[in-house]
Amino acid sequence: MKFIVKLFPEITIKSRPVRKRLIQRLGTNLDVMLRRVDEGIRVKTTWDRIDVHCGDGNEVLRDEVVSVLSRTPGIQAFLEVREFPLVDFHDAYERTRDAYAELLKGRTFKVRVKRSGKHDFTSVEMERYIGGGLNQHTEAAGVDVHNPDLYVDVEIQQDRLFIVTERHPGLGGFPLGTQEPVLSLISGGFDSVVASYMTMRRGCKTHFVFFNLGGHAHEIGVKQVALYLWQKYGSSARVKFITVPFEEVVGEILQSVHHSHMGVILKRMMLRAAERVADFMKIDALVTGESIAQVSSQTLPNLAIIDQVTKKLVIRPLVTMDKQEIVDLSKSIGTFEFAKGMPEYCGVISDRPTTRAKLDRVLEEEGHFDYEVLEQALKRVQVIAIDDIVEDVNAHATVEALTRVGENQIIVDIRANHEQEKKPLNMPGCEILSIPFFKLGTAAEQFDADKEYLLYCEKGVMSQMQAHQLQERGYSNVKVYRPEGA
């Protein structure tokens, strides 16, 4: 089983040394992630592509490799291929016929041959030979060079023949780690999460800083989505998750600042704090999820005032996007349900917020603010490697985790549907409910108070976080199921 990875086009137009560096990093990233799938997978980089060799893998391995390749920044597309020695035209035709005969039944087609290396024939000559043979000796509906039902793709690299059995779209963008690192201000909502994804896709190692305004439940929710985002799109690089306790900062703003300027000044305080964190981490750019005029603090005059508080570059990937575009993108990257169920908190909502803040007035209002409160918040910053969230959650677990299921206990499998289908939870004699994590909040309302519900996920992180949230809502009969050895 083999895959040919096609590079994101912007990589191919770079200068020779830059292109070489980008390709090498993409190869390294793939090697790191694919070895987690199977130690036997081999990644080979060349000037114009990357080859992934999986040996004689099964369907499960194939699906996992496709999943990794489809969500790795830097890949435009990747081809699933069958590899053979290049013998002659007729052998190439027979190999292609064996691969495509069933797919061609009743469908029009066009053969496409792509070559690299020196040969005594042209790509068009081979296309005609293979196409003629398929047209005569299969049940295809004929050749259509303009609008075929199916493309028959063949690649030749030196003396090797590759029959393309399936083409998969890639994520695009630049390989993670090829651009400078950034610090993303993440709240867990649609905007900040999508903005973080966009910088990851563009090749920036994206660290997360969270300003906690709403207590432990909010922090748990944000850690969930940050961990998901990293695991899916950025796990080839280790990043940090930083928590800044901001409740007292909000309290000071409420006491000292006129209500019309609370939103702008809160954002300025966050950028001040983020700049200090970024200085410590030697990061030059901050990322936010702001979009022009989405809320009062995001008008152009207010954004200009907010930016003046920091010397860091403030990147706003969503600055001209509509809200629905952002929500739609969150659905496509898998973070919609996280953001939809995120605990909300806003302690500085004002009835008549300014949309055209003036620097003199802002500085006057900030003159009433006790900056010692901000300093104390920065002294209580918590930093954790994002891949250590798993261990951190379990080490500081506040919800009882059981290794066995007793009477009057029901297992609740909270994994996504596709995860449950891939690895079903087989527990003979136990009642198992299938409730994806994003439906738990509503489903819990139907829980029987006389029974205990044990939440299950593969690594125990999501179940621990979700159980904690439910217990904070009063569901004391919710616990966690962790099988022995898990």
Side-chain angles (χ1 to χ4, degrees), residues 347-415:
V348 293
I349 296 175
S350 53
D351 54 354
R352 287 188 298 248
T354 181
T355 58
R356 299 184 64 84
K358 304 297 183 183
L359 183 58
D360 290 346
R361 175 65 188 280
V362 169
L363 294 176
E364 179 185 347
E365 293 295 333
E366 288 184 343
H368 305 143
F369 183 88
D370 182 1
Y371 281 90
E372 181 59 28
V373 176
L374 182 63
E375 291 299 322
Q376 289 302 316
L378 287 168
K379 289 179 180 179
R380 292 185 285 124
V381 164
Q382 295 180 341
V383 181
I384 185 173
I386 197 164
D387 49 328
D388 288 340
I389 286 179
V390 178
E391 289 75 14
D392 182 67
V393 167
N394 289 327
H396 298 87
T398 57
V399 180
E400 184 179 1
L402 305 179
T403 58
R404 297 184 180 181
V405 182
E407 294 183 6
N408 213 40
Q409 291 179 328
I410 299 172
I411 296 177
V412 182
D413 191 341
I414 66 169
R415 296 174 297 167

Side-chain angles (χ1 to χ4, degrees), residues 220-231:
I220 285 178
V222 177
K223 280 183 174 178
Q224 286 183 52
V225 68
L227 181 62
Y228 168 86
L229 199 63
W230 174 79
Q231 287 178 330

Side-chain angles (χ1 to χ4, degrees), residues 186-194 210-229 241 323 330 334-346 437-439 441 462 465-466 469 473:
I186 187 169
S187 67
F190 295 108
D191 303 338
S192 62
V193 173
V194 171
F210 166 60
F211 294 95
N212 193 343
L213 310 180
H216 192 53
H218 192 190
E219 181 178 349
I220 285 178
V222 177
K223 280 183 174 178
Q224 286 183 52
V225 68
L227 181 62
Y228 168 86
L229 199 63
F241 185 95
K323 187 67 176 184
S330 77
T335 60
F336 174 81
E337 299 296 345
F338 288 97
K340 180 182 176 183
M342 190 63 58
E344 294 185 4
Y345 180 85
C346 185
F437 70 91
F438 51 83
K439 293 183 178 180
M462 185 69 73
M465 291 179 171
Q466 292 289 337
Q469 288 185 355
R473 289 174 52 192

Side-chain angles (χ1 to χ4, degrees), residues 38 46 229 237:
D38 190 294
T46 64
L229 199 63

Side-chain angles (χ1 to χ4, degrees), residues 38-64:
D38 190 294
E39 282 286 342
I41 296 177
R42 294 293 176 264
V43 177
K44 180 182 179 182
T45 61
T46 64
W47 178 245
D48 61 349
R49 71 183 192 279
I50 294 177
D51 296 339
V52 176
H53 300 266
C54 305
D56 299 325
N58 54 32
E59 194 66 20
V60 172
L61 177 62
R62 178 258 181 198
D63 290 345
E64 291 181 351

Side-chain angles (χ1 to χ4, degrees), residues 3-44:
F3 297 86
I4 297 176
V5 174
K6 302 293 185 179
L7 306 174
F8 180 54
E10 288 186 41
I11 295 176
T12 63
I13 63 174
K14 300 297 183 185
S15 65
R16 187 175 185 87
V18 172
R19 176 173 174 171
K20 182 178 180 181
R21 176 175 63 84
L22 295 177
I23 294 172
Q24 287 177 338
R25 174 53 70 94
L26 178 56
T28 299
N29 290 350
L30 287 174
D31 190 61
V32 168
M33 292 184 291
L34 289 172
R35 283 182 181 273
R36 295 176 188 151
V37 174
D38 190 294
E39 282 286 342
I41 296 177
R42 294 293 176 264
V43 177
K44 180 182 179 182

